[in-house]
């Protein structure tokens, strides 16, 4: 049977609860997450920010705003960048 905590965090409780998940929590705490953060649902923010493509250049700033909204709504945001796929191929090698 799921606890109330688990029903509020249907997926993130796998990382944030239990003795066997202490190493995972230690990694998150090592980069600044708090014990309080561990009791909130984890919400992923994926973006393709990269400094070399104008079409993706603003995404880091946008992701920061999304993370603010997640915190304001009671969640713990976790950012993850992904490789962008350029719409043009300015650096594609010939041949």
């Amino acid at each position: 049977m799921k606890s109330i905590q688990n029903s509020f965090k249907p997926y993130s409780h796998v990382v944030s609860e239990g003795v066997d998940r202490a190493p995972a929590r230690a990694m998150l705490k090592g980069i600044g997450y708090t014990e309080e953060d561990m009791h909130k649902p984890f919400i992923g923010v994926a973006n393709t920010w990269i400094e070399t493509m104008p079409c993706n250049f603003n995404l880091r700033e946008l992701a920061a705003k999304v993370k603010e909204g997640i915190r304001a709504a009671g969640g713990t945001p976790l950012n993850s960048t992904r490789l962008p796929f350029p719409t043009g191929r300015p650096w594609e090698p010939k041949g």
Side-chain angles (χ1 to χ4, degrees):
M1 179 177 213
K2 285 187 176 181
S3 69
I4 293 172
Q5 182 86 4
N6 287 354
S7 65
F8 181 60
K9 300 173 15 168
Y11 303 104
S12 53
H13 78 275
V14 174
V15 174
S16 64
E17 296 178 15
V19 175
D20 60 326
R21 302 309 297 162
R25 290 190 298 279
M27 295 292 284
L28 291 171
K29 289 179 180 180
I31 57 172
Y33 288 92
T34 66
E35 185 64 30
E36 183 179 321
D37 293 330
M38 299 299 127
H39 297 289
K40 300 174 184 177
F42 295 160
I43 300 171
V45 179
N47 79 70
T48 57
W49 174 83
I50 190 167
E51 197 169 51
T52 59
M53 291 182 202
C55 57
N56 299 49
F57 191 76
N58 70 320
L59 293 180
R60 182 168 60 173
E61 184 176 317
L62 181 60
K65 295 293 185 186
V66 170
K67 288 172 65 175
E68 287 175 19
I70 291 169
R71 283 188 191 98
T76 297
L78 300 167
N79 189 56
S80 177
T81 55
R82 299 287 178 235
L83 292 175
F85 295 97
T87 53
R89 296 182 176 181
W91 299 297
E92 184 175 301
K94 301 278 186 218

